[in-house]
Amino acid sequence: MDAASHQEPKTLRVHKTSRLLQLQLQKGSDLAGLPGLDPKLWVALASPAKGLEFDQRTLELLDSDGDGRIRRRDLIRAVDWTLSHLTSATVLDDETPQLALDQINLKSPQGTLLHASALRILKNLGKRDATVITLEDALSGDRILAAARANGDGIITLTSARNDDERAAIQAVMDSVGAVRDRSGADGAGAAQVEQFFAELRAFVDWLEAGREPQAVLSARLGGDVAGAWAAYDSLRGKIDDYFAQCRIAAFDPGATEELNKPLRQWAGLAGKSSADVMETLHGLPLAAATQAMILPLAEEVNPAWAGGVAAFRDKVCRPLASGGDIEWLSAQEWEAIKDVMGPHGAWLAAKPSSKVEALGEGRIQALLHSDLQQRLEELIAKDLSVAEEIDGIALVEKLLRFKRDLLTFANNFMALPYFYEMRARSIFQTGTLYLDARALHLCVSVADAAKHAPLAEKGGIYLIYCELRRGSERRTIAAAVTA
């Protein structure tokens, strides 16, 4: 639309009621003059965005800055936006929620997008040959497109997959790194989840590869049961360290030996206790009595609560590393040597990435990494995003249809109030009729806060009745003017 169409009309239709000059907006072309109209000719310069007898969604769209008030600048902005996307202001003369496709101005920056989005809505509704789109179409189209395979939000779901491999990969991504909600309401994965998933797969494989050679060497030394040996070693290493620490104290001060071993000889407190309680008490005591010789018994003289663990440690760790044979005792030097052998394996285990991808198993992980599934999932995401602008345009189609239907009516009520003194019609701020004391009070308005409203109302020189209306859990306050 050219700039000339936004100029103020050459002739303003004005109606005088009492001392009030009311501008009459009867046609869409009248709206084109609002931006240049002197603000003193506006009856109101602001309106609440809630509590009016008007379409609430349209009010929300008019409240462009979301501050709960529709101001003069908001209305002018809505008029400019609407007229720039229509081929003519006369389109607004027909206040119906439908629009011919050829009435969309393709020369405006968003006109092409609006037109394409309207066509897509009609196509998805099975109306390929339609030349008119309605508000009902726009609202239905949004729901249909939200559930479509590609809906522009960059999230792929199981329905986005083209085959079983892609479907399984999407499920694996969601199971491993978490799902995000798609526009349709289904769980899915976006670019961030796919990237994180494959990064975690690579990190896990890198960790496995870093341990292969050391594990092979350790396996050879331990007779093949690395996992069992590590479990036996790991369950005892803290207790063995504590034992040899006590032995060092005994070696440093032989007189301390009896004091160190005193807890092992105080059995009187265990009399009468259950076997479970006895074992629990023993579990907190040292593995064996501390000695100046600094050797740990591996067969006899071992704390009963730890006898099984010590036996497993002897059989799975000490004997293989000592090349077989019976091992009855472990010296402090031998213990340090064992720690040198087992320590790197512990460090490797501690470095394992914290991820749920491990549950997939090495075979599945390797298969995923050596496939093109990451690229294929990224292609699905790109395809979904390719329609984002067009689908986002659906909201603009809805906005244009609502403004076509409602803008002229709202502007009249906002800045001209043509129905304020008209008994046969109501302004949008009027909320109904209050019947009280054989009267019908037609000038009723919604009030958000009666306490704040009343002090201002006192300056109006008119009697007001405040009423709280209740229906179930709903509450609403109105003010009714008592007039002649």
Side-chain angles (χ1 to χ4, degrees):
M1 173 168 289
D2 57 29
S5 62
H6 278 69
Q7 293 178 358
E8 187 175 343
K10 295 180 180 179
T11 303
L12 294 174
R13 287 174 291 277
V14 176
H15 175 72
K16 188 173 184 179
T17 303
S18 184
R19 292 176 295 171
L20 180 66
L21 287 178
Q22 293 177 305
L23 182 66
Q24 294 181 315
L25 303 175
Q26 298 176 339
K27 298 181 179 180
S29 57
D30 296 335
L31 291 176
L34 293 187
L37 186 65
D38 191 328
K40 70 175 179 288
L41 297 176
W42 292 59
V43 174
L45 296 177
S47 164
K50 290 183 178 180
L52 302 180
E53 296 296 311
F54 202 69
D55 185 89
Q56 184 56 44
R57 178 56 182 154
T58 300
L59 294 175
E60 292 170 1
L61 293 171
L62 286 168
D63 181 17
S64 57
D65 55 8
D67 66 352
R69 302 286 291 174
I70 301 171
R71 306 179 193 278
R72 175 176 176 270
R73 63 175 179 269
D74 293 320
L75 180 55
I76 290 176
R77 193 177 293 137
V79 169
D80 282 341
W81 184 86
T82 304
L83 294 179
S84 69
H85 291 94
L86 297 175
T87 54
S88 171
T90 59
V91 176
L92 297 178
D93 295 349
D94 173 26
E95 297 179 82
T96 58
Q98 64 179 25
L99 182 68
L101 297 182
D102 61 8
Q103 291 176 327
I104 299 175
N105 181 16
L106 297 179
K107 296 180 181 179
S108 71
Q110 288 185 326
T112 303
L113 171 62
L114 279 163
H115 192 270
S117 297
L119 287 174
R120 186 174 183 85
I121 292 169
L122 294 170
K123 176 183 176 182
N124 279 272
L125 294 175
K127 300 180 178 181
R128 288 178 177 271
D129 299 326
T131 59
V132 174
I133 186 167
T134 67
L135 180 58
E136 183 180 357
D137 292 334
L139 297 176
S140 300
D142 189 24
R143 290 191 292 270
I144 291 173
L145 290 171
R149 175 175 288 184
N151 58 28
D153 60 2
I155 306 298
I156 53 175
T157 66
L158 296 179
T159 59
S160 306
R162 295 164 292 194
N163 51 55
D164 290 342
D165 287 345
E166 291 177 355
R167 195 162 16 258
I170 294 172
Q171 186 65 60
V173 172
M174 293 191 292
D175 292 342
S176 300
V177 302
V180 290
R181 193 57 58 89
D182 178 72
R183 175 177 278 161
S184 67
D187 286 339
Q193 287 72 40
V194 171
E195 182 179 354
Q196 180 184 347
F197 175 70
F198 282 93
E200 290 185 6
L201 293 181
R202 285 187 286 272
F204 187 76
V205 167
D206 290 344
W207 173 77
L208 285 176
E209 292 298 328
R212 287 198 194 284
E213 186 174 346
Q215 275 209 101
V217 173
L218 184 61
S219 179
R221 295 194 64 180
L222 295 173
D225 187 11
V226 175
W230 173 258
Y233 165 81
D234 189 47
S235 67
L236 282 180
R237 55 178 170 167
K239 297 292 287 187
I240 296 176
D241 277 338
D242 291 344
Y243 172 78
F244 282 117
Q246 290 192 336
C247 288
R248 289 187 185 92
I249 295 174
F252 174 72
D253 181 4
T257 305
E258 183 177 353
E259 191 68 25
L260 289 169
N261 292 324
K262 186 180 293 185
L264 292 173
R265 298 188 177 92
Q266 294 181 353
W267 305 110
L270 299 180
K273 286 191 174 183
S274 67
S275 59
D277 290 339
V278 170
M279 294 304 288
E280 183 178 354
T281 301
L282 292 175
H283 196 270
L285 298 177
L287 291 176
T291 66
Q292 299 175 45
M294 296 187 65
I295 56 175
L296 173 68
L298 298 178
E300 304 294 333
E301 302 176 12
V302 175
N303 182 335
W306 291 93
V310 170
F313 170 69
R314 178 193 64 205
D315 295 340
K316 293 179 179 294
V317 180
C318 299
R319 282 178 177 172
L321 292 180
S323 302
D326 289 334
I327 304 295
E328 302 296 329
W329 304 90
L330 180 70
S331 69
Q333 293 78 11
E334 289 170 332
W335 170 238
E336 292 300 322
I338 287 175
K339 289 202 292 185
D340 289 341
V341 172
M342 303 298 290
H345 182 73
W348 175 72
L349 288 176
K352 182 171 73 172
S354 177
S355 172
K356 293 183 179 180
V357 298
E358 181 182 3
L360 296 172
E362 184 180 353
R364 176 88 186 278
I365 291 173
Q366 293 284 8
L368 284 166
L369 284 177
H370 288 86
S371 71
D372 61 349
L373 278 167
Q374 181 175 5
Q375 178 183 345
R376 285 156 61 184
L377 295 189
E378 289 171 348
E379 288 173 354
L380 288 176
I381 293 172
K383 182 179 179 181
D384 189 275
L385 288 172
S386 68
V387 300
E389 186 179 24
E390 190 174 316
I391 288 179
D392 289 342
I394 293 173
L396 297 179
V397 174
E398 177 196 346
K399 178 179 178 179
L400 187 60
L401 284 162
R402 288 186 183 277
F403 282 2
K404 176 184 177 292
R405 179 192 66 184
D406 299 333
L407 206 52
L408 193 56
T409 298
F410 182 83
N412 256 310
N413 279 271
F414 181 85
M415 55 80 59
L417 299 182
Y419 307 123
F420 190 67
Y421 298 102
E422 173 60 62
M423 298 299 292
R424 292 169 297 178
R426 288 182 178 177
S427 298
I428 62 174
F429 59 80
Q430 291 178 254
T431 192
T433 300
L434 175 64
Y435 294 94
L436 183 67
D437 192 25
R439 287 174 175 264
L441 306 181
H442 299 294
L443 185 51
C444 300
V445 297
S446 293
V447 176
D449 189 330
K452 292 181 178 179
H453 189 271
L456 294 174
E458 288 180 2
K459 301 176 182 180
I462 191 171
Y463 289 106
L464 295 180
I465 298 174
Y466 291 95
C467 297
E468 184 182 64
L469 311 179
R470 302 181 183 183
R471 176 181 291 169
S473 61
E474 297 181 36
R475 297 288 187 275
R476 185 180 177 190
T477 300
I478 65 164
V482 181
T483 70

